[in-house]
Structure formats: structure tokens, C-alpha cells
Amino acid sequence: MSDAYARFRRLAWRTVIGKSPRSVAGQVFLLQVVLVVLLVLCAVVALVLQSKRDTTAEATRRSTAVAQTFAHAPGVVEALRLPDPSRVFQPLTEAGRKAAGVDFIVVMDTHGIRYTHPVAARIGERFVGTIEPSLAGRVHTESVRGPLGREVQATVPVDDTHGKVVGLVAAGMKVKNVTGALARQLPIIFAAGGCALMLSTGGTALVGRRLRRQTHSLAPDEMSRMYQHHDTVLHSVREGVLIIASDGRLLLANDEARRLLALPADAEGRPVRQLPGLDPGVMELLASGREAGDEVHFAQGRLLAVNQRPTDGAGGPGGTVVTLRDCTELQALSGRAEAVGERLELLYDAGLRIGTTLDVVRTADELARVAVPRFADFVTVDLADAVLHGEEPAPTATDIRRVAVSGIQDDHPLYERGRLIDFLPSTPQARAFDAGRSELVTDLSTAGGWHTQDPERVRRILDHGIHSLITVPIRARGVVLGLADFWRAKQDPFDEEELSLAEELVARAAVSIDNARRYTREHALAVTLQRSLLPRALPEQNALDVGYRYLPAQSGVSGDWFDVIPLPGGRVALVVGDVVGHGLHAAATMGRLRTAVHNFSTLDLPPDELLQHLDDLVGRIDLDEECPERAGEIVGATCLYAIYDPVSRRCVMARAGHPAPALVRPDGEVTFADLPAGPLLGLGGLPFRTAELELAEGSQLVLYTDGLIEDRRRDLDEGLELLRRALAGHPGRSPEESCRAVLERLLPERPCDDVALLVARTRALPADRIADWDVPRDPAAVSGMRGAVCAKLAEWGLDELGFGMELVLSELITNAIRYGSDPVRVRLIHDRTLICEVADGSSTSPHLRYAATTDEGGRGLFLVSQLAERWGTRYTPQGKVIWAELAVPAPSGPPAG
């Protein structure tokens, strides 16, 4: 019998290398490889066709956009009426063609005669293409063979003010340039296909290997012998064995089970509930399919210990396997039944008390407490240090941290909580961790390998009376997370039967610990993402003294954000917003909105217009998210946008569904700004309104999200009153101190929702740092303004900027006089930079362009852009302001005030 068993072992673990490809595993492997290759080839072909179509569509779209942009540009109609339109259009189309990345822009008359062409010799010839649809007022796209080769082109009509077509504009690209992008993408597509093929083939190989491993690569005759041995062993053991299907039918019963339960000859295949002579308790247990361990039942005059386990734990078919042991001796049975009852009660309590939170340390402590003193005198729980941070543990028992200790006494000699331990390979803990199997040490005094870990501490443990140990690996989803050690001092030593109870206890806690670990990892990732989307440092500016706080919620992340954005003219924008919902989706949406606010602020829009653009963006995000996977996650957000000007001390703000800001006056009085309420971002259809306040120097503007004032334990009005009290009566307090005081008053504990708080104390630019002049609309006034500006720069000690400022000022004032309207005003501001602003009553904005050698003008703004650090235009209710900033060479420090 021993020779047959040894041979069976050799056959079971025989390597799969060298097996015939005609085996089932080999055939499955070849079939899967062929399918994978076909799928990858189909995917590559589909990607190539899709890339070609998308590239051609992009060329058509770009050509149409360039032609329409040029056709609708100001001055095109007037230029078509000139005696020589080519002189005007040819340099413009060439510059536009290079900037837009197309191969040609052709302007022609209604007969198709070209005014422009990249090849100058082609000017005056007839355009190659169809112009009739464009003469009818439509945009026409086509692919033709033109002077430059095979081309994709779009033809757009040029209409005068009466809607009459007075000319045509065509733009296009050569086909070889279109297909060039595809050629550059093909290596990437084929590389991706090759990688996919390699990965898929590797996965297929793993599947085939697993199939060979499950059959142990046995031949049919070897499988027959294996089942013969199985049948021999099954019917020879002195323990009853039953296998029951998931539908309650008896699939198998060995000879001992038939004897113990007095089963009929035709019992196999019949439902358990229909078997005659079964004890009702045994019948109910077998039919229920529930897990049972050493349950005692009376059947056929015998006391039976019944164990029942599911068979689908390792991926097998559903059902249960039941073992029966004859425990007829009443004295032994009574003690065993009592012990089993106590264990069941312990397991029941463990199911209720372990895993009540998603905290790793708390769950480990619950495991330690539930087992003392009913199962062990002392329990310690050690977890891999990486698990506490939500990471995967190392494969060895190093960097193990003790996270929970519980015992019948506090003065135990075991390692204290928080200790980082490296277990030696000879210890039971290291063996259990590395092998993933429990270790039982019935006598610690004779366990030599355990003594080498810490001889002095081992001596103290033994002197304390601790004599036996069970070490169980905390294993979940195939990964060992740590160890649970059960120690006994007052009770009898552990035995083999108690080892299973310890494993059951740890198994109930292992999944909860792993869930908490995964939650810790996901929460840390989400918080890290959200913090990365928030500003890490505030920009330098002189208009406001700013303090801020951001507090994440207890669980999950939200979409709260804030920002401080410097604007031209020394002004500063303050932003606070909140995206509806929680989780990574809300945090990612917050990042998109914050970026959008930054982009819109560069346009120097008023607060109401900026919120209107932001509302349109959120509406488009809503449309993008309307899919089954995002059901219930429609985007919505609140936002408050304020602009403070330190020159006029005026603050303009608007809000979209956001709480109104608090205003702390210099005397300590607190009010809430009377700011018109606006709808949530994303609702669309309703306008936003602004409010303008004049703030005294030293006033504090407090912006916040609703997580600061809203709480389940109080209503909104109570939260606003608490905020008012926290801010009132402290006029000299800094913004940082105000932030600290507000959070201590309103949020003594960690908040349930994210909180963003922004406190800004206003500063005013001193009057001696500002100079204003009214300028008459007379070209002769430019010379006088240059003199006045130079004098003011000399007064400020900025003589070396005089030359550059004269050139900038001359160009800006000349433009205002020539193209603007009254009133024309000039303002100089000495802040961190030297700011020059020229305002007039016109809303026409100048544009930077490259002037041709024959052009008389067009170089002024180019000169301004070269001399100034930044320049731009902002619109006001009275007209526009063109501004330019020059760097101050050696600032003596921020201006006072």
C-alpha cells in the first residue's frame, strides 16, 4: 500500500514539460492561441482603418475651420473690392497658412480666378475644384488633384453685408500630409498589437498550465489507478464520509457512513430529506448545507460528531462534504458537547464584534479582545507595517508591527503595542508567515527555535507562566497580512482541536482587516489626488493678506476647492467652490473646474460672465456623464468668484449656489455680504448677478464652503451665527489666526464633509503709488504725456524704466487717440511691477500681428509685447483698458499699506 501511495504522489506532481500536444491541455492551448492571434489582428486592422478615417476627417475639419476663419475675418470684403486684392491677401494667406498648419489658403473671385496661392505663379489662374455650391452660399469640401498634388480642400463663400457672395476662400492639405500622420501612428498601433498578443498568449499559456496542473498531466490509465486508490481509501477509513450536492441529493456515502446512519442500498442519488430512518436533527443539518464543526447528534442509537464543509471553496462544484464520527461514550461526549457549545458561542460573538469599522488597528484590537479570556489568556496581533498604510505586505516576516495586545493582566512580558519586530526564520511566527500555515507549540519551554528570537524576553515569558502558543497567519485573498498569537498561562495547553478554532477566529477577522487595508489605500489615494489638485502655495501679490485651511472629511473625499489668482492692474481674484457628491469622481471634476476658472480668469472677465462660462462647462460635463455607468453621478457645483482692486478698494463678486461670504470690518463688526443668489452650476438658463462693495483697508473677507457651517446636529442659521461669533471682536487678528479661531469654534472634531476656508485681509495701494491723467484726443498730447510720465518715474526712483515706458505709452496713447473714443485716461501704478493702463470709451481691441516690410503700421503692439513682461486688454462698462506691465529692476520691497 505504501508503494502505491508513493507512486501516486510521483504521478500527481510530474512536470508538464514534454507532454504530447494531443492532450486536452495542449489542444485547449493551441485553440486559445489561434483565437487570440485572430482577435489581435482584427483589432489592429480596425485601429488602422479608424485612424485613417479620423485623420482624413481632421484634415477636412481643419481646412474648413481655416477657410471659414479667413472668410469671416474683418476687412476681407473691403479688400476684395480693391483694384489689386492680391497685394493685400497674399502675405496674409501665407502667414495664416503657416500658422494654421494647412498647405494652402486661396482667395478667389466669384469666377474662380485666384488672388493668392503658395506658388506665386499660380495667381491669376482658375481654381482647381468645384465652386458652384459655395457660390450658392454653402461650405463645400472635396478631394481633388490640384497644383500641389492630391489635396483635401474646403471652399467657403465670402458674403457682404447684404448676404451676397462677393468672393471665395479655399483652404486645404495635401493627402500625403494627411496620410503621414497615419504612417507615424502605424508603428505605435503594431507595437500595441504585438504587446497585446504577447500578453494574451502569456495568459493563455497560464490557463493551459493551470489545466495541466489540475489534471496533474496524468494519462487515462494513471487517472484510473488514482481513482481506484481513492475508492479504496474512501471505503476503508473508520469515519463516515458523505458528499451532498447543492440541490440536497446524496452523491456519495462510504461504508462507514452507511453503517452509522443505516442508509439503504439505493441512498445515493436520492434527496437527503427522503432518506428513511435519519434522525431529524441530522437530516436538517445535511439538507441545510451550512458549515458545521463537531456538532453532536443522536442517530441510530449512537452519538455522532458531524462536521460539514462546503466543496466550492477552491472553485469546485457546489455542495458539502460531511464527516461522521462515532462518539458514543457519554462522559467524553458531554465534555465535548460543552466545549463545542462554547466554541460556537465564541465564533458567534466574534462575528458580531469583529469588523465593525474600516480601521485596520481597530479590527485587530477587536480580534484580540474577543478571544480573551474564553480561548486564550493573552492575544497579540502583528501586522506587516505596509498593511497599516494600505499597501501589499512583504513575503517574509520582517517589518512586522504589533498593533494589538489583550490579556488577563496588564503587566505581561510580551512585546508592547507599536513595536516593530523582525521574526527570525526559526520562530513559529516566521514559519507561519512564510508558509501561510498555523503553528501549534504545546510546550514553549522546549521550543528551541523560539528561544533564539530574544532569550531574555523568552525567560521572562516563561517565568510569567505562559506555556503554550498558537500562531495563525492572517490570510485574506491569498495574501498573508500578519499574525495572530494566542498564548495560555492559566488554562490547559492548546491541543490540535483548538487549532481549528483559532484558525476560524482569525479567518473571520482576516477579511475585515483586508477590507480595512484596501479602504485605507483607496482613501489615501483619493485624498492625495484631491490635495494635488488644490493650490500648494499662494501666489505673491500685494492686494490681500491671505490665510487658508482645507480639511478632508472623515471618510471619502469631496470636491471643495479654493484659489487666489493675481489679475492685471494689481487686482486679485478669490475663488471658493464645491462639487456635489463625494469620491474620486467629485475630486476629478473639481480639478477640471479649478483649471477652467484659471483659464477664464486670464480673459479678465467680470464675475458674472465667468460664472456663466463655468455654468456652460458644467452643463457639457453633465452631457458627457450621461451613460449607464455614471447613473446617479450627474455633476453639479457651487462657486463664489470675487475680484478685489487695491487701487479703488472695491470688490466685485458673484456666486452660483454658494453661501454668501462674511465681511469683518476694521472695527470688528461682522456682516454677511448682500450678494444676489445664483443657481447651481450646471442648471443653465438663468443669469448670474454681481454685487460691488467698497472695503475699508484692513477689512477681512471670509469665504468658505458649506461643510464649515452645516452639520447634522445644528441648522444652517446656527452655523452662520457661530461663524459670526468666531470672527467678531478681533479687528487686529491676522488671517491665519482667524482661520484657526474659526475651525476651533465650529469644528472641534474632524468634519463629516470637506471644508475649505479662505480669509483675506484687504490692503490699499498708497495714493503716492498711483498717477492718473486725462488725455485729450489730440496727437500733440502724446509728447506732453511722455514728459509727465518720465517726471513721475523719476519721483518713484525708476528713471531707468523711462525709455521703455515712453515707447509703450506712446504706442498705447496713439492707438487710443486714433482708434478709440473719449474719454482717454492714463494711469500708472507702482506695485510689484510698473503697470501702465490706457483707457478709452471704445470696445475695439487691438491685435498683435506681424507687419510686412511694405506696411506703414502694425509694429507698435509688437514693440509693446517685446518691452513689457505682460500686456493685454480688459473691458469695462465704460469701454476698455489696455495695460502693460514692466518689471521693476531693483524693488526695495513691497509698497507700504
Side-chain angles (χ1 to χ4, degrees), residues 322-405:
V322 183
T323 60
L324 309 169
R325 290 198 305 273
D326 189 356
C327 303
T328 310
E329 297 183 7
L330 295 178
Q331 184 176 2
L333 179 62
S334 60
R336 186 175 182 82
E338 183 179 354
V340 169
E342 292 176 355
R343 293 175 183 177
L344 289 175
E345 184 180 358
L346 175 60
L347 291 176
Y348 177 77
D349 291 344
L352 295 178
R353 295 170 54 183
I354 298 177
T356 59
T357 66
L358 284 173
D359 183 87
V360 175
V361 177
R362 176 72 177 273
T363 305
D365 187 66
E366 290 169 347
L367 170 62
R369 292 180 181 277
V370 78
V372 177
R374 289 189 288 176
F375 181 69
D377 297 321
F378 300 94
V379 178
T380 59
V381 181
D382 309 323
L383 296 178
D385 201 43
V387 172
L388 301 178
H389 305 290
E391 302 171 0
E392 293 287 339
T396 59
T398 56
D399 291 337
I400 303 295
R401 190 174 298 277
R402 180 146 294 175
V403 296
V405 180

Side-chain angles (χ1 to χ4, degrees), residues 382-387 393-402 415 419-437 439 453 471-474 480-485:
D382 309 323
L383 296 178
D385 201 43
V387 172
T396 59
T398 56
D399 291 337
I400 303 295
R401 190 174 298 277
R402 180 146 294 175
Y415 283 129
R419 177 75 170 264
L420 193 64
I421 309 169
D422 290 336
F423 287 108
L424 296 179
S426 60
T427 61
Q429 289 86 351
R431 293 196 299 270
F433 192 98
D434 295 343
R437 295 191 299 269
E439 290 276 335
Q453 175 73 29
T471 296
V472 182
I474 301 174
V480 179
L481 307 176
L483 299 165
D485 294 333

Side-chain angles (χ1 to χ4, degrees), residues 15-341:
T15 177
V16 299
I17 298 176
K19 280 294 178 183
S20 170
R22 290 191 298 273
S23 66
V24 175
Q27 293 175 1
V28 171
F29 175 77
L30 291 177
L31 177 60
Q32 289 181 340
V33 167
V34 171
L35 290 177
V36 168
V37 170
L38 289 177
L39 290 175
V40 170
L41 289 178
C42 291
V44 170
V45 171
L47 285 175
V48 169
L49 294 177
Q50 181 66 29
S51 177
K52 183 176 181 181
R53 188 183 68 178
D54 291 347
T55 307
T56 304
E58 173 61 20
T60 303
R61 185 197 63 77
R62 188 188 301 179
S63 300
T64 304
V66 171
Q68 287 180 330
T69 301
F70 197 94
H72 299 153
V76 171
V77 175
E78 289 77 6
L80 286 170
R81 296 170 178 166
L82 295 175
D84 186 10
S86 296
R87 180 182 178 186
V88 176
F89 286 131
Q90 181 67 10
L92 295 178
T93 56
E94 285 302 291
R97 176 180 67 83
K98 295 175 182 178
V102 296
D103 292 314
F104 69 88
I105 300 176
V106 173
V107 183
M108 67 194 88
D109 62 10
T110 56
H111 300 289
I113 303 303
R114 299 189 187 100
Y115 291 137
T116 66
H117 196 274
V119 180
R122 300 286 183 176
I123 297 175
E125 297 181 1
R126 182 174 177 80
F127 172 70
V128 178
T130 304
I131 65 173
E132 286 73 12
S134 300
L135 293 175
R138 298 192 302 273
V139 176
H140 180 67
T141 59
E142 59 184 345
S143 176
V144 300
R145 179 172 295 280
L148 302 180
R150 194 68 179 174
E151 304 163 340
V152 177
Q153 63 185 20
T155 307
V156 177
V158 179
D159 301 328
D160 60 8
T161 56
H162 301 290
K164 180 181 178 182
V165 177
V166 297
L168 302 173
V169 175
M173 299 179 65
K174 289 182 285 187
V175 173
K176 67 177 183 179
N177 292 339
V178 177
T179 58
L182 173 61
R184 292 190 296 272
Q185 294 175 1
L186 282 178
I188 301 175
I189 295 174
F190 283 115
C195 293
L197 177 59
M198 293 175 61
L199 293 175
S200 301
T201 306
T204 303
L206 292 177
V207 172
R209 183 179 177 184
R210 180 178 180 183
L211 181 58
R212 291 193 295 271
R213 185 171 63 249
Q214 290 178 342
T215 60
H216 299 288
S217 298
L218 296 176
D221 57 334
E222 295 170 337
M223 294 287 289
S224 299
R225 285 195 297 273
M226 182 186 71
Y227 281 111
Q228 291 172 0
H229 297 161
H230 160 267
D231 192 64
T232 300
V233 173
L234 179 65
H235 293 286
S236 299
V237 296
R238 299 295 298 169
E239 187 169 354
V241 178
L242 302 172
I243 298 179
I244 302 172
S246 57
D247 58 358
R249 290 182 299 106
L250 179 62
L251 299 180
L252 182 144
N254 69 346
D255 297 341
E256 183 67 9
R258 292 177 181 274
R259 185 184 69 84
L260 294 176
L261 298 178
L263 296 175
D266 61 345
E268 292 182 355
R270 296 173 59 181
V272 173
R273 295 187 183 276
Q274 297 179 7
L275 296 176
L278 277 185
D279 177 75
V282 175
M283 180 186 297
E284 186 62 32
L285 172 61
L286 299 181
S288 67
R290 63 179 174 84
E291 192 169 330
D294 285 339
E295 286 193 13
V296 179
H297 291 271
F298 185 81
Q300 301 299 325
R302 300 181 181 89
L303 289 172
L304 303 179
V306 184
N307 288 274
Q308 184 166 266
R309 293 290 186 273
T311 59
D312 57 356
T320 57
V321 59
V322 183
T323 60
L324 309 169
R325 290 198 305 273
D326 189 356
C327 303
T328 310
E329 297 183 7
L330 295 178
Q331 184 176 2
L333 179 62
S334 60
R336 186 175 182 82
E338 183 179 354
V340 169

Side-chain angles (χ1 to χ4, degrees), residues 549-593:
R549 291 291 188 276
Y550 170 75
L551 298 180
Q554 289 180 355
S555 61
V557 295
S558 185
D560 292 18
W561 92 91
F562 64 90
D563 237 322
V564 177
I565 307 173
L567 298 177
R571 298 167 303 134
V572 175
L574 301 176
V575 190
V576 172
D578 183 6
V579 176
V580 174
H582 293 80
L584 290 176
H585 180 64
T589 303
M590 176 269 287
R592 297 168 70 179
L593 295 185

Side-chain angles (χ1 to χ4, degrees), residues 856-892:
E856 296 181 359
R859 299 178 181 82
L861 287 180
F862 181 81
L863 182 64
V864 171
S865 68
Q866 298 300 309
L867 293 174
E869 276 197 337
R870 298 190 304 157
W871 75 278
T873 305
R874 71 172 182 269
Y875 296 94
T876 66
Q878 295 78 29
K880 69 173 182 298
V881 175
I882 304 177
W883 54 270
E885 292 184 3
L886 275 67
V888 177
S892 59

